[in-house]
């Protein structure tokens, strides 16, 4: 499975960006799908994920500012980043827990984690 992310860039504090990600390949389902971010010297951290059933998890630091959305049928996820702060500067990674389609057509018993290539978000004046 490939995850193709787009939408990063340079923005001033208080500005907005939209990140998008599309998964392609052998997919029966994805659960959850979302975004992580990482700055040099630190561990990758969860930003937001959305379950197939609709449950959403956000990092405390982005609650009220970021909004995640999914198109389950199209295997896509997007993240609206609003009121951006310099501390939001990071490489953002699209994430998916992929359930492959088995040979018989149903879900495989073995799911796995897939990651996108990362997109840089820089918040600076």
């Amino acid at each position: 499975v490939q995850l193709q992310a787009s939408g990063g860039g340079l923005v001033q504090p208080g500005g907005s960006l939209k990140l998008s990600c599309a998964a392609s390949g052998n997919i029966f389902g994805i659960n959850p799908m979302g975004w992580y971010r990482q700055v040099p010297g630190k561990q990758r951290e969860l930003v937001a994920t959305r379950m197939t059933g609709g449950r959403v998890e956000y990092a405390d630091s982005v609650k009220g500012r970021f909004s995640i959305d999914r198109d389950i049928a199209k295997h896509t996820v997007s993240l609206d980043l609003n009121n951006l702060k310099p501390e939001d500067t990071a490489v953002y990674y699209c994430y998916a827990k992929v359930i492959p389609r088995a040979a018989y057509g149903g879900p495989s018993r073995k799911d796995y984690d897939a990651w996108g290539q990362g997109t840089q978000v820089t918040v600076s004046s």
Side-chain angles (χ1 to χ4, degrees), residues 37 45-48 57-63:
R37 66 187 181 186
E45 64 174 6
L46 179 145
V47 176
E57 182 176 3
Y58 290 104
D60 288 342
S61 60
V62 308
K63 285 179 181 177

Side-chain angles (χ1 to χ4, degrees), residues 92-103:
Y92 285 68
Y93 294 91
C94 180
Y95 165 78
K97 174 124 4 227
V98 178
I99 305 164
R101 186 177 298 280

Side-chain angles (χ1 to χ4, degrees), residues 23-68:
S24 60
N26 179 25
I27 302 171
F28 180 88
I30 296 176
N31 200 28
M33 195 170 187
W35 298 89
Y36 284 67
R37 66 187 181 186
Q38 188 171 24
V39 298
K42 291 191 176 182
Q43 285 192 328
R44 192 172 295 187
E45 64 174 6
L46 179 145
V47 176
T49 58
R50 192 176 187 103
M51 302 291 284
T52 303
R55 184 169 67 88
V56 177
E57 182 176 3
Y58 290 104
D60 288 342
S61 60
V62 308
K63 285 179 181 177
R65 300 188 298 121
F66 291 8
S67 179
I68 188 170

Side-chain angles (χ1 to χ4, degrees), residues 6 15 17 19-20 32-33 38-39 41 49-51 64 66 72 80 87 103 115 124:
S6 61
L17 283 174
L19 305 182
S20 299
M33 195 170 187
Q38 188 171 24
V39 298
T49 58
R50 192 176 187 103
M51 302 291 284
F66 291 8
I72 294 169
D80 287 314
E87 51 264 41
W115 295 91
S124 174

